[in-house]
């Protein structure tokens, strides 16, 4: 099968972008991506793969995007996989190139969360829980992640302060990201004193509600040379799944599907020891607790030892995580978030990040949908 | 601007579970092949080796173990008046899965592994109409 290259990435500022429609945001991100190429034009793209999550005000929104970009009559389709939609869309885009069905693919992800009041945004996301069971008792996603964290705390003894350190790291990383949404330096006390959403998660333990778009352009290795002198290659990909309802699992304190997805990606990329062989990572911190649990499930440290890894995940640590600010700092326009995570790793490996890890040559992206119901891990290298 | 969608219930083959709530009885389903018991019920066994074997209904004792819990400061529209709300995952005795349900307890008394009993409100027909207490 053919090698897949990332040849360009672009994104909008993540924020409340009330003055732009979704298609206008995607155009902004796309123009950002095209600017760094050797004159790539839309005509050169044969397939468009799209990602957004919430079907509420407008459904089939991908049709507006393909129409607006003038992509007709070329192939285009949407990939939906909850919060992991953008990552699954990448998986599909890579499959197209590997198989030879496509030569150059545009992957576009977006979301306009500002269309809904934050309470309603939480409710729309909660409809991804089982409507007749977990949703019916009043659960929102934060409740499920809260229960996962309570179980982890019961088994391994973390305190709320431990999780708060991750929120502080990510939000303060975002201060260097001009496209990031979070603009205020915070402390552990700020997190602990913020409003309760679902114990132990307070509002500052949670990701942001954002508008935004992010795009990637992918091609075969051969085609990449014509588009950029500085491609990044997809070395490993893994998707793994778990039950929809948290209660249907044997293990609720961690993410078994993350262990499976990462081992698939590591095997494909030839990674044996992630901490020594990977230089930087973007982890899907929909909640800071997820980042801690994922240190363990990604094999960065042993199960129950996540707290001890937090300092290694700082910039300057052995394996910096969420240099962009992550979903808590950069922002979380759902369909765009995983695409932006990959974009950050693309810029890191090209030495172009706003929060650069010195000499980064190999990076990891973790993303998931549901309560770890569909987990994606990707390994990217020079 | 918004619009309200009204839906029909979609209980399919697990309707007996919801009918049971009205009679203050808790039902689960058991796979005839692997003998795993599911509550929430499943009409077919998800274990790959059981090839979606159709399960059988069994009545469960309304008691179990608290696997985890949380205290909500935010919920969905219909439940905002019920805040603060405590939710837990209850592994009903004999089951291999857990039910998410409301807890009527003092939050500070909760610990993973606690024994709980499931209670039914009059005319219960949805998950929101049952709750667990510590025993």
């Amino acid at each position: 099968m053919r090698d897949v290259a990332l040849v360009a990435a672009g994104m909008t500022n993540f924020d409340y972008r009330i003055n732009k429609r979704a298609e206008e945001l995607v155009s902004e991100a796309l123009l950002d991506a095209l600017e760094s190429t050797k004159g790539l034009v839309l005509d050169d793209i044969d397939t468009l793969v799209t990602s957004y999550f919430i079907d509420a005000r407008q459904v089939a929104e991908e049709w507006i995007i393909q129409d607006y970009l003038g992509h007709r009559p070329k192939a285009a389709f949407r990939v939906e996989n909850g919060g992991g939609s953008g990552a699954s869309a990448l998986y599909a885009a890579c499959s197209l190139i590997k198989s030879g069905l496509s030569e150059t693919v545009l992957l576009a992800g977006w979301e306009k969360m500002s269309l809904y009041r934050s309470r309603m945004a939480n409710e729309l996301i909660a409809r991804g829980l089982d409507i007749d069971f977990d949703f019916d008792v009043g659960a929102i996603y934060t409740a499920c992640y809260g229960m996962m964290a309570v179980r982890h705390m019961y088994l391994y003894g973390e305190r709320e302060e431990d999780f708060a350190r991750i929120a502080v790291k990510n939000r303060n990383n975002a201060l260097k990201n001009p496209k990031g949404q979070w603009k205020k330096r915070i402390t552990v006390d700020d997190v602990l004193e913020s409003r309760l959403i679902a114990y132990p998660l307070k509002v500052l333990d949670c990701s942001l509600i954002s508008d935004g778009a992010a795009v990637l352009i992918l091609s075969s290795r051969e085609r990449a040379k014509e588009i950029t002198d500085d491609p990044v290659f997809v070395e490993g990909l893994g998707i793994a799944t778990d039950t929809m309802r948290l209660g249907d699992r044997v293990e609720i304190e961690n993410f078994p599907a993350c262990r499976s997805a990462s081992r698939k990606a590591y095997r494909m990329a030839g990674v044996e020891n992630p901490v020594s062989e990977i230089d930087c990572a973007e982890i899907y911190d929909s909640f800071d607790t997820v980042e801690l649990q994922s240190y363990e499930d990604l094999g960065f440290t042993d199960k129950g030892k996540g707290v001890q890894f937090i300092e290694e995940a700082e910039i300057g640590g052995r394996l910096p995580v969420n240099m962009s600010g992550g979903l808590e700092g950069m922002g979380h326009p759902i369909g765009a978030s995983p695409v932006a995570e990959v974009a950050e790793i693309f810029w890191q490996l090209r030495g172009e990040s706003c929060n650069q890890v010195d000499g980064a040559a190999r990076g990891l992206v973790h993303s998931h949908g549901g309560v770890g119901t569909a987990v994606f891990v990707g390994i990217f290298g020079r | 601007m918004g619009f309200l969608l009204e839906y029909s219930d979609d209980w399919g083959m697990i309707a007996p579970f919801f009918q049971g709530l009205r009679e203050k009885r808790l039902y689960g389903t058991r796979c005839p092949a692997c003998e795993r018991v599911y509550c929430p019920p499943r009409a077919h066994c998800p274990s790959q080796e059981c090839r979606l074997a159709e399960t059988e209904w069994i009545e469960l004792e309304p008691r179990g173990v608290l696997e985890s819990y949380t205290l909500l400061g935010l919920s969905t529209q219909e439940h905002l008046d019920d805040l603060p709300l405590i939710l837990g995952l209850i592994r009903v005795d004999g089951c291999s899965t857990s039910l998410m349900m409301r807890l009527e307890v003092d939050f500070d008394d909760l610990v993973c592994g606690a024994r709980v009993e499931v209670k039914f409100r009059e005319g219960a027909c949805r998950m929101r109409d049952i709750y667990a207490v510590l025993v």
Side-chain angles (χ1 to χ4, degrees), chain A residues 41 51 80 200 207 215 234 252 254 312 314 341 346-348:
Chain A
V41 292
S51 147
E80 198 283 313
S207 49
V215 306
V234 179
I252 60 167
N254 278 80
E312 304 294 357
E314 300 271 2
E341 291 182 83
F346 175 78
W347 290 318
Q348 286 286 348

Side-chain angles (χ1 to χ4, degrees), chain B residues 9-27:
Chain B
D9 286 324
D10 186 22
W11 292 341
M13 292 171 75
I14 57 167
F17 173 82
F18 297 100
Q19 285 158 357
L21 300 183
R22 194 171 292 262
E23 298 157 15
K24 302 191 176 184
R25 292 169 186 272
L26 190 62
Y27 289 98

Side-chain angles (χ1 to χ4, degrees), chain A residues 91-130:
Chain A
Y91 195 84
C94 291
S95 310
L96 290 172
I97 291 168
K98 278 186 171 294
S99 68
L101 265 178
S102 300
E103 200 61 41
T104 311
V105 177
L106 169 62
L107 165 57
W110 68 90
E111 206 78 45
K112 279 212 65 170
M113 302 293 292
S114 70
L115 294 173
Y116 320 102
R117 275 174 289 184
S118 70
R119 206 167 66 192
M120 190 50 72
N122 267 292
E123 175 147 353
L124 290 167
I125 297 166
R127 286 184 172 272
L129 298 170
D130 189 323

Side-chain angles (χ1 to χ4, degrees), chain A residues 301-312:
Chain A
T301 186
D302 294 335
K303 201 172 160 187
K305 301 257 174 69
V307 171
Q308 292 153 47
F309 196 79
I310 299 172
E311 62 183 339
E312 304 294 357

Side-chain angles (χ1 to χ4, degrees), chain A residues 56-57 118-120 122-123 126-127 132-140 142-144 146-151 154 195-200 243-250 252, chain B residues 3 7 10-11 14 17-18 40-42 66-80 85 87-89 91 97-102 107 111-113 126-128:
Chain A
R57 183 174 178 272
S118 70
R119 206 167 66 192
M120 190 50 72
N122 267 292
E123 175 147 353
R127 286 184 172 272
D132 292 312
F133 287 91
D134 300 357
F135 183 85
D136 195 69
V137 298
I140 53 176
T142 324
C144 299
M147 285 188 232
M148 287 191 70
V150 164
R151 185 78 190 177
Y154 166 72
R195 184 167 63 92
L196 178 75
I197 305 295
Y199 179 83
T243 64
M244 181 189 194
R245 291 185 298 242
L246 182 61
D248 287 357
R249 295 182 200 165
V250 173
I252 60 167
Chain B
F3 71 104
Y7 304 95
D10 186 22
W11 292 341
I14 57 167
F17 173 82
F18 297 100
R42 290 171 181 256
L66 180 65
E67 298 284 312
S68 193
Y69 54 89
T70 186
L71 171 66
L72 288 185
L74 178 67
S75 183
T76 49
Q77 208 73 24
E78 288 181 293
H79 304 278
L80 290 175
L85 189 60
L87 298 180
L89 281 173
R91 182 141 311 199
T97 56
S98 302
L99 264 181
M100 189 179 293
M101 67 173 83
R102 294 179 172 204
F107 185 72
V111 61
C112 294
R126 293 174 189 277
M127 280 303 299
R128 67 183 68 177

